[in-house]
Structure formats: structure tokens, C-alpha cells
């Protein structure tokens, strides 16, 4: 199994809603990442989890709250989002945070629309 | 089978000289190519991209060249600086923003002062 699975694939939410994005991998990877990608732009790093601990937060607003319940799962909790937060949210994983000599895998993403 | 290949695991370059990092891909459907840079214990951060309609894209000291017929792209850093020492990852996707990125295994660049 060399997949990173993200659910849901599409999500439409209102600005007062609370929702969660989920990411799962069963490759034994110990580093997981959230990226945000706007249309026709490259993915931008949001958070890095290494061995289930948050190691990097790229100055992301607190309305995005990551959670890593175990080594296979990564969640992104969303609350009080703005329309400009609409984007493709990508999860990725790698064997560890060093990456070298190992492959990294991205999920298909969740396309989020905030209305 | 790896779709994105970086065949040089490491590269050492003198400060001030040109660094050239290479990347080959096998999937002819790839349409969007990126380079990411990674410092130890940090996440990869975006450096520069190119779409298949171009063969060159420049951003300051960084230039990416794309040769679609050869399925090859390269990143040139001129002049190289010690702060450029990092691992550089080539990535590709079929449609920008709509399909997953496929990463190469990376090339560690060491710029020697």
C-alpha cells in the first residue's frame, strides 16, 4: 500500500461551520504534512508532524487546527474559515522528516469551498 | 517504478559557481513541474515551478529548464551560496492543483565556502 488517502474529496462549508479533513497512510511513515494549494499555484506548507508531534507551523491562522491521533492519521480541524481559505488541501507523508533517499507521497487532496 | 528520478543523491559546488540539479521523469502526462528545497528537520518549501508550455523560468538566482522531448528538467543556481546547502526535490503533476504531486528522492547540495 503506497497510498495517502484523504477524505472527503470535496467539502463545502459555511463560515460558521466546524469541519475536519482526514488523512491516512499505512506505509509506516512517521512524518506527515499539510499543504494548501490555490488555483494554478504550487502547494504551500502549513504544518509538519514528526513522530506524532507538531514540529512546524508555518504561521497558519488558528482557525486551522491540526491533530495527529496516531502515526497513521492526520486531521485538520477547520473552524470559522473565510472564503479566501477555499483551496485544495493536500496531505503528504514520508518515512521521516529527513526525506533523503526515501519517497514522499501526496494524497489526492480535499477541495474545500468556503461560502 | 519511480516516475520522477533524481539520479544524483548529492552534489558539492564551490561558492560562487553554478549548481545544476537534474531530474528525469517517465510520465508523459506530467504537465507541471516544481522544485522544493528542504533544510534539515523542516518541511519542504516551494522554490520554483514551470509548466509544460514553457522551457525556462527564472526567479532571481534560480532558473528551471524543461526539455519535454527528453523528459528532463534541471535547476540552475547561479551564483551558489552557502545558504543554498539543502536537499532539493523535483516534483511533477499532471494538472497543477488537481492531481497529486510525485516527488523525486532528492539531491543534497553542499555549497562550499
Amino acid at each position: 500500500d503506497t497510498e495517502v488517502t484523504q477524505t472527503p474529496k470535496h467539502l463545502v462549508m459555511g463560515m460558521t461551520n466546524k469541519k475536519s479533513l482526514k488523512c491516512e497512510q499505512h506505509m509506516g511513515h512517521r512524518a506527515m504534512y499539510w499543504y494548501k494549494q490555490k488555483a494554478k499555484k504550487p502547494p504551500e506548507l502549513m504544518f509538519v508532524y514528526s513522530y506524532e508531534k507538531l514540529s512546524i507551523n508555518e504561521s497558519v491562522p488558528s482557525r486551522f487546527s491540526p491533530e495527529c491521533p496516531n502515526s497513521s492519521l492526520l486531521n485538520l480541524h477547520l473552524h470559522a474559515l473565510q472564503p479566501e481559505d477555499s483551496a485544495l488541501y493536500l496531505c503528504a507523508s514520508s518515512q521521516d522528516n529527513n526525506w533523503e533517499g526515501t519517497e514522499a507521497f501526496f494524497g489526492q487532496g480535499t477541495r474545500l469551498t468556503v461560502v | 517504478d519511480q516516475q520522477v528520478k533524481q539520479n544524483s543523491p548529492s552534489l558539492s559546488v564551490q561558492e560562487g559557481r553554478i549548481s545544476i540539479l537534474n531530474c528525469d521523469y517517465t510520465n508523459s502526462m506530467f504537465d507541471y513541474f516544481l522544485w522544493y528545497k528542504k533544510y534539515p528537520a523542516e518541511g519542504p518549501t516551494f522554490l520554483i515551478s514551470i509548466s509544460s508550455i514553457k522551457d525556462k523560468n527564472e526567479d532571481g538566482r534560480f532558473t528551471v529548464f524543461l526539455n519535454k522531448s527528453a523528459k528532463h528538467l534541471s535547476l540552475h543556481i547561479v551564483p551558489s551560496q552557502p545558504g543554498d546547502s539543502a536537499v532539493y526535490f523535483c516534483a511533477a503533476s499532471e494538472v497543477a492543483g488537481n492531481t497529486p504531486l510525485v516527488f523525486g528522492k532528492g539531491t543534497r547540495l553542499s555549497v562550499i565556502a
Side-chain angles (χ1 to χ4, degrees):
Chain A
D1 181 4
T2 57
E3 279 191 358
V4 175
T5 304
Q6 288 187 244
T7 55
K9 288 190 170 31
H10 299 274
L11 177 63
V12 179
M13 61 185 288
M15 289 189 282
T16 58
N17 290 160
K18 281 186 183 181
K19 296 285 184 185
S20 297
L21 309 185
K22 296 186 184 306
C23 174
E24 192 168 0
Q25 56 85 16
H26 297 287
M27 295 176 278
H29 288 174
R30 302 312 298 270
M32 296 184 77
Y33 312 79
W34 280 114
Y35 280 79
K36 173 182 178 178
Q37 186 173 19
K38 301 285 276 186
K40 300 194 187 305
K41 300 278 188 185
E44 295 177 352
L45 184 65
M46 299 173 73
F47 301 105
V48 179
Y49 269 83
S50 181
Y51 291 85
E52 295 132 67
K53 288 189 168 49
L54 181 65
S55 63
I56 293 175
N57 175 343
E58 292 283 343
S59 302
V60 180
S62 59
R63 57 187 185 268
F64 296 92
S65 174
E67 179 200 15
C68 190
N70 61 55
S71 60
S72 299
L73 292 174
L74 185 67
N75 298 323
L76 185 63
H77 302 299
L78 314 172
H79 175 52
L81 295 194
Q82 304 294 314
E84 58 265 28
D85 295 321
S86 299
L88 182 69
Y89 287 84
L90 295 162
C91 173
S93 74
S94 61
Q95 187 169 329
D96 56 34
N97 201 18
N98 289 320
W99 276 48
E100 292 177 57
T102 65
E103 292 185 61
F105 296 86
F106 271 68
Q108 295 270 356
T110 295
R111 187 159 295 285
L112 174 69
T113 304
V114 181
V115 296
Chain B
D1 184 31
Q2 268 205 298
Q3 295 186 71
V4 177
K5 298 178 187 177
Q6 293 177 256
N7 291 321
S8 298
S10 63
L11 175 68
S12 287
V13 173
Q14 289 280 346
E15 180 179 6
R17 300 257 176 111
I18 181 171
S19 296
I20 300 176
L21 297 102
N22 292 305
C23 177
D24 296 295
Y25 61 96
T26 57
N27 185 347
S28 57
M29 298 299 291
F30 284 148
D31 204 41
Y32 183 55
F33 305 89
L34 311 90
W35 285 93
Y36 277 73
K37 178 177 178 180
K38 186 183 182 301
Y39 293 114
E42 295 185 9
T45 53
F46 170 72
L47 186 60
I48 191 168
S49 66
I50 189 166
S51 75
S52 61
I53 60 172
K54 291 184 162 186
D55 54 18
K56 178 182 173 182
N57 188 26
E58 284 181 86
D59 183 3
R61 296 185 297 113
F62 302 90
T63 302
V64 57
F65 295 92
L66 175 63
N67 182 335
K68 280 203 79 177
S69 60
K71 295 193 180 72
H72 176 84
L73 65 155
S74 59
L75 175 68
H76 292 212
I77 307 173
V78 186
S80 302
Q81 298 174 354
D84 296 328
S85 297
V87 180
Y88 289 79
F89 292 90
C90 173
S93 71
E94 291 186 18
V95 178
N98 281 324
T99 55
L101 280 179
V102 180
F103 276 72
K105 291 190 175 182
T107 297
R108 171 179 287 286
L109 173 66
S110 299
V111 180
I112 303 157

